[in-house]
Amino acid sequence: MTAPLTPPPHEQSPHDPWQPPTAGQMKPAPHDAWRGGQGQDGPGRKAEVREAAVITVAVALAGALLGVLWWWLSPKVPLVGQLVDQKWVVYLKDTEGEQAIGVDGTFTLLALAFGVVSAVVVFLVRRRGGVPVVVALGVGGLLGSLLAWRVGEWLGPEQDVIAHARAVGKGVTFSAPLKLGAKGAWLAWSMAALLVHLGLTALFGPRDPEPEHYGVPPRQ
């Protein structure tokens, strides 16, 4: 008689970390985990796009107020008209003045303030981040800056300085048209809004729940 060659079955210890999980230890993954992280409580994609569109329009329309404030608060650039060889010539009354720089600085500071306010308002209303909201703030801020630029120039002094000099007379001081020399100021609103909103979302936004390990047995 020879002993059977089949090895005896291996008895697993109850403390063996490599033993397969029992039926009670298996936890099925919830249905929402396989839907791209979007649960039933979160807004749908269409709702987010609608919210982003509303934010873009609201922020852009606020640019009209920025334009009015820019026209009202900007320093005046004094000009003087003279007749030289029967031709009108317009020149700066104060060649060392910094009023032109002040015009650009006023627009930039106001745009930064509008960016901060718009970001805070959007965060308080929505209380969450997301790509659509960030895009809406960026696009709305840029459109608002362009609208403010146009509104300020429209409210400001006459654009035709020669006609203006003729109207006021020779040697009479008048204000130069309101112009934005630093075109990079158009981005101040968008940049401020994006940075402030991202900071508020990181500090006070809702936190994602800790991920659960499905189908992995607990260690003894």
Side-chain angles (χ1 to χ4, degrees), residues 2 10 30 32 67 69-70 97 108 117 132-135 138 144 158 182 208 210:
T2 59
H10 176 68
D32 291 340
L69 293 176
W70 179 46
T108 303
V117 172
V133 175
V134 173
V135 173
E158 185 179 351
D208 293 333
E210 292 293 333

Side-chain angles (χ1 to χ4, degrees), residues 42-134:
R45 182 62 60 185
K46 292 183 179 180
E48 289 184 352
V49 172
R50 286 195 298 267
E51 289 181 357
V54 172
I55 292 172
T56 302
V57 174
V59 172
L61 291 178
L65 178 59
L66 173 58
V68 174
L69 293 176
W70 179 46
W71 160 72
W72 183 37
L73 299 175
S74 292
K76 308 302 180 184
V77 180
L79 300 178
V80 175
Q82 293 291 345
L83 272 174
V84 178
D85 296 334
Q86 302 302 319
K87 293 182 179 179
W88 281 93
V89 178
V90 178
Y91 57 91
L92 289 171
K93 182 178 181 180
D94 185 7
T95 56
E96 297 182 358
E98 298 181 353
Q99 292 89 347
I101 300 176
V103 171
D104 294 345
T106 301
F107 186 95
T108 303
L109 292 177
L110 287 174
L112 291 173
F114 271 67
V116 172
V117 172
S118 60
V120 171
V121 171
V122 170
F123 177 78
L124 292 178
V125 170
R126 199 169 184 274
R127 286 290 183 179
R128 65 168 65 91
V131 174
V133 175
V134 173

